[in-house]
Amino acid sequence: MLSAGSRGPAGRRGPAGRLAGGREPRAARRSVARRTAISIQPARPADKSQPADESRSPQPRRLIAWLLSPAGLLTGYLAVHLGYLAYLSIFVFQGQAFSDTNIYRAWAAAGFPQNVQPSPWVYPMVGLLPIWISGLAGPGPFLIVWVVLTSLLNGAALGILSGWGRKAEGVRAGWWWLVFITLMGLLGFARVDGVTAPIVLMGLSLGVASPFAASAILAFATWMKIWPAAALLPLFAVVRDRWKVIVGAALVTAAVVAAAAALGVLGHLLDFLTTQGSRGMQLEATFTTPWLWMSVLGLGGAHMYMNTEINSMQVDGPGSTVASALMQPLFVVVAAAIAGAIFWALHEGKKRGHEDRSELLLAGALAMVSAFIVFNKVGSPQFMVWLGPVVALGIAQDRAAWRVPARLLLGIAVATYFIYPLFYDALSHNNPLMALVLTVRNVLLVVLFVWSAIRLVRLGRRGAPAVPAPGSGSDAA
């Protein structure tokens, strides 16, 4: 359709709007051209679905906007933690605790005896601190206090992760963290690992900016459960003032030693290292998978058994003793290789003009923590909790780059939930379906470790050279 001011069949206009000599003003010609261009657009075919879409679309948008607000994140936090508190309160009303908290409660009530099995000193000394706190009110409310303590730590970690609701990407990462906590729930709320995870998140969040404080927090968590040491080594590798990492960790360690001496338990300070040495190949460990299937299929005399000394289900079979002995040296080799890769990536980043120390810290921490799990003869299901803090911080820093580990870890969490607490009894009785679920979970762990190793290499290789090559022009530089 032509506009009202368009040309007639003869292609001429009337005198209106013309200058002397028959020419129109330039601005008038541009205005006519614009009107003509707009007016001759072909009409769009009617979209019958559009009115319905428009009527529905504001609602999801408003819901998403609310969920990504501080109030929405706080509501999600309260729903998850109050939900688990209500569920676990059922055990309290029955005079019980849940899972390992039954053992913790007995330790606290008995004053942490030194001659019982499993021994309280299977944990580093500070790992007994939350157990002692939860037992202050007596055995009855032990589990309630434990869950409240874990929830408060999770809340503090969530606040730091999201910038207390002010950082949009942090809020998204916070929601991922809540989903992960929900899936891992009973493992996160009934083990010391669930206490250490938010502490590690807080320490790593300080990272490169405050290496002394980050080191002190991570060292404190390491004296609760040894795995946070996997974040200390990457921190030492990437920061400029490495002496601050050393001093922070040394001061915390000195305080722990002094406390042990004051309490008269200095002789038990390193028991957690010697106790672990007596373990065999635990049922859920990644490298146990071949013996798991040998036991399921009845091959080579492989079988599962309970190690009552440390309350652990293990698998024995041809070669399992040798494999168990080799796991620790193998892990040391892998850990050294990861540390070397971090130093290399940092060095290469400097040369190439791309020195992303924060990203190197997270990638290195994920590689080291996942190696702690993959190359470990112990494979308890609560170990998956260790991976959450690093991935959550990675999502907050670069959501697109960390999409793969975020999805992998949620898949690992779902598989782990089926393994424990749902069907662990079936797994420990050679159920082939649950053996398959465990195998898939272990494969995902290996994939996660490989992703983190590749990420380290890519961080070292990316970026343009800081100094132009000889003979190159200014544009190339």
Side-chain angles (χ1 to χ4, degrees):
M1 179 183 296
L2 297 178
S3 64
S6 60
R7 301 183 180 219
R12 296 177 178 271
R13 288 186 181 274
R18 289 182 182 270
L19 294 174
R23 297 181 59 192
E24 294 178 333
R26 186 175 302 171
R29 290 200 305 272
R30 284 199 300 265
S31 176
V32 170
R34 283 197 297 267
R35 290 198 305 271
T36 305
I38 295 171
S39 63
I40 62 174
Q41 293 288 338
R44 293 184 180 181
D47 185 358
K48 296 181 180 179
S49 64
Q50 188 171 351
D53 289 342
E54 289 178 353
S55 64
R56 288 197 303 264
S57 59
Q59 296 298 332
R61 284 201 300 268
R62 282 197 292 266
L63 176 60
I64 292 172
W66 180 80
L67 288 174
L68 296 179
S69 69
L73 185 61
L74 177 61
T75 302
Y77 163 76
L78 292 175
V80 170
H81 290 80
L82 290 177
Y84 273 108
L85 181 63
Y87 172 73
L88 291 171
S89 296
I90 298 172
F91 295 89
V92 176
F93 294 145
Q94 296 173 347
Q96 304 172 12
F98 179 83
S99 186
D100 280 15
T101 54
N102 280 300
I103 301 173
Y104 301 162
R105 184 175 67 164
W107 290 344
F112 302 100
Q114 303 175 16
N115 56 352
V116 298
Q117 297 298 335
S119 168
W121 306 98
V122 71
Y123 291 124
M125 181 178 164
V126 181
L128 304 182
L129 179 61
I131 299 174
W132 174 75
I133 293 173
S134 299
L136 287 176
F142 183 93
L143 183 56
I144 292 290
V145 179
W146 182 273
V147 174
V148 169
L149 176 62
T150 305
S151 300
L152 292 175
L153 288 171
N154 282 340
L158 189 64
I160 292 172
L161 178 65
S162 65
W164 304 100
R166 293 189 299 270
K167 299 178 181 177
E169 288 303 312
V171 171
R172 290 178 182 274
W175 272 107
W176 182 92
W177 172 252
L178 284 179
V179 171
F180 179 71
I181 287 174
T182 303
L183 294 174
M184 295 300 301
L186 296 174
L187 292 167
F189 285 105
R191 307 287 173 95
V192 172
D193 307 77
V195 175
T196 56
I199 297 175
V200 169
L201 193 153
M202 288 184 263
L204 278 176
S205 68
L206 295 173
V208 176
S210 304
F212 175 82
S215 173
I217 293 171
L218 292 174
F220 181 80
T222 300
W223 278 106
M224 279 189 167
K225 198 80 187 283
I226 191 65
W227 74 269
L232 267 174
L233 184 56
L235 178 66
F236 174 80
V238 303
V239 299
R240 289 185 174 87
D241 299 325
R242 295 190 175 101
W243 64 270
K244 293 182 179 180
V245 177
I246 296 173
V247 172
L251 287 177
V252 171
T253 300
V256 172
V257 173
L263 294 171
V265 294
L266 191 59
H268 292 285
L269 191 63
L270 300 179
D271 278 9
F272 66 96
L273 296 176
T274 57
T275 304
Q276 300 297 329
S278 64
R279 285 180 180 264
M281 296 294 288
Q282 188 169 338
L283 170 60
E284 305 101 290
T286 305
F287 273 73
T288 305
T289 304
W291 289 276
L292 164 69
W293 282 103
M294 289 174 66
S295 177
V296 169
L297 299 175
L299 302 176
H303 63 281
M304 302 178 188
Y305 68 98
M306 174 62 74
N307 184 339
T308 54
E309 182 180 351
I310 52 177
N311 193 38
S312 172
M313 182 65 68
Q314 298 178 177
V315 182
D316 193 16
S320 62
T321 303
V322 175
S324 177
L326 291 177
M327 290 309 297
Q328 190 166 355
L330 177 60
F331 168 71
V332 172
V333 171
V334 172
I338 294 171
I342 297 171
F343 280 108
W344 168 83
L346 181 62
H347 177 70
E348 289 296 306
K350 289 179 180 179
K351 287 199 308 182
R352 295 172 181 270
H354 188 93
E355 187 183 345
D356 194 341
R357 294 174 183 265
S358 295
E359 182 61 26
L360 265 179
L361 171 61
L362 293 179
L366 181 61
M368 197 68 77
V369 173
S370 58
F372 256 57
I373 299 173
V374 171
F375 299 93
N376 197 334
K377 62 183 177 180
V378 184
S380 300
Q382 68 267 23
F383 287 7
M384 307 309 113
V385 175
W386 303 355
L387 298 161
V390 186
V391 174
L393 287 166
I395 296 169
Q397 180 162 296
D398 190 342
R399 182 158 48 106
W402 285 77
R403 185 178 293 117
V404 170
R407 293 173 178 175
L408 281 173
L409 190 49
L410 290 182
I412 289 168
V414 170
T416 302
Y417 184 78
F418 276 91
I419 294 164
Y420 186 92
L422 291 185
F423 301 110
Y424 192 79
D425 186 64
L427 175 65
S428 62
H429 287 81
N430 294 309
N431 182 281
L433 180 59
M434 289 313 303
L436 178 61
V437 173
L438 178 58
T439 301
V440 170
R441 198 281 308 271
N442 288 343
V443 169
L444 292 177
L445 283 170
V446 173
V447 173
L448 184 64
F449 169 73
V450 171
W451 183 92
S452 62
I454 293 173
R455 177 75 174 163
L456 274 178
V457 174
R458 287 179 174 173
L459 286 173
R461 288 180 174 175
R462 79 181 186 184
V467 180
S472 60
S474 60
D475 289 342

